[in-house]
Amino acid sequence: MKTKQLKWLSYLSCFVMFLATLGGSVVTKTESGLGCGSEWPLCHGKFVPAHTLASMIEYSHRAVSGAAGLLSLAAFVAFWMYRKNRKDLQAYSFLALLFVMVQAFMGAMAVVYPTSSPVMALHFGFSLIAFASSIMLVLGIREDESREGKPVSSVVQPRVSKGFRNLTWFATAYTYIVVYIGAYVSHTDSAGGCTGWPLCNDQLIPEMTGGVGIAFIHRVAAALLLVVIATVGHFAYRKHPEHKEIRSLGVAATILVVIQVLTGAGIVFTLTNYEVYLFTSLAHIIVLAALFGVLCYMSVRTWQLSKKSDR
């Protein structure tokens, strides 16, 4: 299989994985999780569900998740057969397949058995890792294609320091923590605990009671995330003028985290308008997924480029 074919397979897999991640959020925001009752894989005992909004949303999400699993399997087989010299691409395809299966299993168990909010937040976290892995696969095969046909001397890339590598790793891990807290807020309906923005209930530090505490913690964590990723973007751009890829990833991460903060504020302002709130919350999730994917790929690239400095 040629590089171009692998690239388009990775594109398709990433797109369907994106739809599956977005669909899971739609299920949560529209409270359609039990649109098919407590049955899986059938919906109210039928292969084709009744035409109610909740059942169609839930069943569509199941169908898209199934397609994401099949495409991830196809990508895994293709990359392990035709890219044996690229262990990183093989690893990305394996992680995408592994975590799409894990999140599908958790989703099925959430339907059949009562599941707590912390577990459901983890379910979203696993789906995010699956999507991030598919993004990494896309970026990796694009890089492979750009190098194809060029002499080895022309594709030798500059090194990065271990300090910058560690900063990128920290930013990626911290992003996942913030995402998990946000998912927990969503699954416990605590988003309305803090009214107003940027202040919480017109206070700099509100009383930590009920849903206010977890919502305020998420806000503080998100503000710190902005600082951390802006720092990564600064060092990526200013300290690596000779490395176009690292600079581009740093700029992309910084832009995405700014948009993420703004869409988070949008959620607060649209809580009383359900239609607009649904749009802003889904936009928030889309940006978070893209941000985490970019940071994951950046973490791998900085690891690869820092290893070269040890030789």
Side-chain angles (χ1 to χ4, degrees):
M1 186 176 285
K2 297 181 180 179
T3 300
K4 188 174 182 179
Q5 294 171 314
L6 289 173
K7 180 184 74 173
W8 284 107
L9 176 59
S10 67
Y11 280 178
L12 182 59
S13 177
C14 184
F15 177 69
V16 177
M17 194 78 75
F18 163 74
L19 293 180
T21 303
L22 185 63
S25 300
V26 173
V27 169
T28 299
K29 297 300 179 182
T30 59
E31 299 181 352
S32 302
L34 293 178
C36 287
S38 58
E39 300 177 38
W40 191 94
L42 297 180
C43 187
H44 294 303
K46 299 178 181 179
F47 182 74
V48 179
H51 296 291
T52 64
L53 182 60
S55 63
M56 292 302 294
I57 290 174
E58 169 63 14
Y59 204 70
S60 297
H61 174 54
R62 293 185 187 184
V64 172
S65 295
L70 291 175
L71 284 169
S72 296
L73 177 60
F76 171 74
V77 173
F79 276 90
W80 278 76
M81 287 182 64
Y82 298 104
R83 277 298 180 274
K84 295 180 179 179
N85 62 321
R86 289 295 304 272
K87 300 299 182 183
D88 54 340
L89 299 184
Q90 291 180 339
Y92 303 154
S93 65
F94 172 74
L95 289 173
L97 177 61
L98 173 64
F99 282 101
V100 76
M101 291 174 62
V102 170
Q103 67 89 18
F105 175 77
M106 291 185 69
M109 290 299 99
V111 170
V112 178
Y113 302 104
T115 305
S116 65
S117 295
V119 173
M120 288 308 299
L122 194 59
H123 171 249
F124 174 74
F126 286 148
S127 67
L128 190 64
I129 294 176
F131 177 59
S133 299
S134 66
I135 290 179
M136 290 160 64
L137 189 61
V138 166
L139 295 175
I141 193 63
R142 280 173 58 87
E143 178 206 5
D144 200 41
E145 184 183 44
S146 68
R147 295 183 182 186
E148 208 167 50
K150 294 182 180 179
V152 176
S153 58
S154 68
V155 296
V156 174
Q157 296 180 317
R159 300 165 180 172
V160 301
S161 68
K162 288 185 177 180
F164 180 69
R165 176 200 67 187
N166 293 340
L167 176 62
T168 304
W169 286 1
F170 171 77
T172 304
Y174 182 63
T175 299
Y176 189 80
I177 294 172
V178 176
V179 168
Y180 179 82
I181 297 173
Y184 182 79
V185 168
S186 178
H187 283 287
T188 54
D189 295 324
S190 300
C194 279
T195 58
W197 190 91
L199 296 180
C200 179
N201 300 331
D202 296 323
Q203 295 178 313
L204 183 61
I205 302 178
E207 294 182 11
M208 303 296 181
T209 57
V212 176
I214 187 65
F216 181 71
I217 289 172
H218 178 58
R219 286 196 187 187
V220 173
L224 181 57
L225 180 65
L226 174 62
V227 175
V228 170
I229 295 182
T231 303
V232 171
H234 170 76
F235 283 113
Y237 192 83
R238 296 299 297 272
K239 300 297 183 180
H240 301 85
E242 75 290 354
H243 206 307
K244 183 179 178 181
E245 182 186 28
I246 292 298
R247 295 184 87 184
S248 298
L249 290 170
V251 170
T254 303
I255 293 173
L256 286 169
V257 76
V258 171
I259 298 174
Q260 177 260 337
V261 170
L262 294 176
T263 54
I267 290 175
V268 176
F269 292 130
T270 59
L271 280 172
T272 56
N273 188 329
Y274 178 75
E275 288 77 14
V276 181
Y277 164 73
L278 182 61
F279 172 78
T280 54
S281 59
L282 292 179
H284 188 62
I285 290 166
I286 291 170
V287 174
L288 276 176
L291 172 62
F292 187 65
V294 167
L295 287 173
C296 284
Y297 184 69
M298 194 173 179
S299 294
V300 174
R301 292 298 293 135
T302 53
W303 171 66
Q304 292 171 335
L305 294 170
S306 67
K307 282 202 313 179
K308 294 179 180 180
S309 64
D310 296 332
R311 295 176 183 175

